[in-house]
Amino acid sequence: MGAQIRVYRQKIASTTSMGKIFKAMELIATSRIGKARARVSASLPYANAITRAVTAVASQSEIDHPLTTEPESIRRAAVLVMTSDRGLAGSYSASVLKQAEHLVELLREEGKDVKTYLVGRKAQAYFEFRGRDYAKVWTGGTDAPEFETARELGQVLLKDFADDFEVGGVDEIHVVYTQFKSMVVQEPTVIRLLPLEVVEQEEETPADELLPLYEYEPEPEQVLDALLPRYIESRIFNAMLQAAASELAARQRAMKTAGDNANELIKKYTRLRNNARQAEVTQELSEIVAGADALNG
């Protein structure tokens, strides 16, 4: 009995220690989620403004620009997958990777080669464990992304989009990330970044709102050359911010569930320890009574 009680005490101590870790991580995620949501909201006005500008240039000018023109045949597609650097966030990274696998399967069924770019150590570990190739990986700070990372991503993707197929160039670019909708709902999402598909997020333009007519100086092609890199950077950065907010929300929810489960385990082990202690006391009393009876006899 004594050994059994010691086992339960050890389990209670270890579970209590783990529960404190879960609670601390939940509090950290809770304290950071507000800032992450604020950064998502702050990035939307700029992203939507530059979206309207690119839309105006692309739709009101009869120009043939490589970033806005659908190629005759698509031979290779780039896929940018955004996951987290750390775990303990439930199924956050697994859901993104599952969505990415589905996209890659569809692209290959269409006869396209796939060139993969990764964000986050979870995606890197997933690909390396399965022996799959990837072009480049960016790690560090997935829960607090920096604009410089988005700028570097945009430059790499635009360079590959401009290169010829024979030297590793791509004909289209897709991004797989988690869209933050609320503290409860985070949805894995796929967008095609290039060739340009103008899609605004969160805010919808009314059907009767017409874009103003512009006169361009210099020429529209030069305006697009200047606007599109900034447009791509803003779209990538907004996706990174939404992924960061989704990661923190998923981690907060996962740590709260883990903490609740730890508390239930502590209650269970405490009850079993008390039962074992009661059985030990009962056995000791029975032995004392039996010894007293033997002496009296």
Side-chain angles (χ1 to χ4, degrees):
M1 289 293 181
Q4 192 176 18
I5 293 175
R6 284 194 298 272
V7 169
Y8 289 134
R9 286 175 179 170
Q10 292 172 356
K11 288 184 177 181
I12 291 172
S14 61
T15 307
T16 301
S17 178
M18 292 176 63
K20 291 179 180 179
I21 295 173
F22 296 150
K23 185 63 176 178
M25 296 190 68
E26 178 190 352
L27 293 176
I28 292 172
T30 302
S31 66
R32 299 177 66 180
I33 188 65
K35 182 178 179 181
R37 295 177 66 181
R39 293 184 73 189
V40 172
S41 300
S43 71
L44 284 173
Y46 175 78
N48 289 338
I50 198 169
T51 294
R52 292 190 181 96
V54 173
T55 302
V57 179
S59 61
Q60 297 178 14
S61 304
E62 295 181 359
I63 59 176
D64 185 15
H65 196 279
L67 299 182
T68 59
T69 304
E70 190 77 23
E72 294 182 0
S73 63
I74 298 176
R75 293 172 291 178
R76 181 180 293 124
V79 177
L80 173 62
V81 184
M82 295 185 180
T83 63
S84 64
D85 283 325
R86 297 184 296 146
L88 299 178
S91 61
Y92 167 74
S93 294
S95 299
V96 177
L97 291 169
K98 181 178 180 181
Q99 190 76 15
E101 290 280 19
H102 181 64
L103 173 62
V104 170
E105 182 179 352
L106 288 177
L107 293 174
R108 286 176 175 163
E109 287 178 356
E110 295 173 358
K112 303 173 184 176
D113 292 337
V114 178
K115 191 174 184 179
T116 309
Y117 301 86
L118 308 177
V119 175
R121 294 190 180 93
K122 287 296 179 181
Q124 182 182 17
Y126 180 87
F127 275 72
E128 289 181 352
F129 179 78
R130 288 160 178 78
R132 299 182 184 176
D133 296 330
Y134 54 86
K136 193 170 182 180
V137 61
W138 289 264
T139 60
T142 56
D143 55 354
E146 299 292 338
F147 183 74
E148 288 302 321
T149 305
R151 176 174 295 172
E152 182 183 348
L153 273 163
Q155 292 173 350
V156 171
L157 293 175
L158 282 173
K159 179 183 179 302
D160 278 1
F161 189 77
D163 287 343
D164 293 332
F165 175 82
E166 289 74 14
V167 295
V170 299
D171 300 311
E172 65 178 2
I173 299 173
H174 300 268
V175 180
V176 186
Y177 70 103
T178 305
Q179 184 178 8
F180 180 86
K181 293 189 173 182
S182 68
M183 288 296 296
V184 179
V185 180
Q186 299 89 42
E187 181 179 337
T189 305
V190 178
I191 59 172
R192 194 180 78 162
L193 203 59
L194 289 176
L196 183 63
E197 289 184 345
V198 178
V199 179
E200 294 188 9
Q201 301 181 23
E202 299 293 332
E203 300 176 8
E204 295 184 359
T205 304
D208 57 350
E209 182 180 333
L210 299 178
L211 292 170
L213 296 176
Y214 295 104
E215 292 183 0
Y216 302 104
E217 185 178 348
E219 295 301 317
E221 290 85 353
Q222 294 174 280
V223 175
L224 275 179
D225 287 339
L227 283 180
L228 281 170
R230 291 171 174 80
Y231 171 80
I232 297 302
E233 291 169 3
S234 69
R235 289 292 299 274
I236 292 177
F237 188 51
N238 180 261
M240 293 174 67
L241 292 176
Q242 294 209 44
S246 300
E247 177 185 346
L248 291 171
R251 181 167 292 115
Q252 179 195 33
R253 191 165 58 250
M255 291 299 97
K256 185 180 186 309
T257 301
D260 293 342
N261 291 338
N263 291 334
E264 290 298 322
L265 278 175
I266 291 172
K267 292 179 181 178
K268 175 183 176 181
Y269 291 143
T270 301
R271 183 174 63 253
L272 292 174
R273 182 200 62 185
N274 292 339
N275 291 340
R277 178 59 180 165
Q278 185 63 41
E280 184 180 28
V281 171
T282 302
Q283 183 179 358
E284 290 175 354
L285 289 175
S286 299
E287 291 174 353
I288 291 172
V289 171
D293 290 342
L295 291 174
N296 290 334

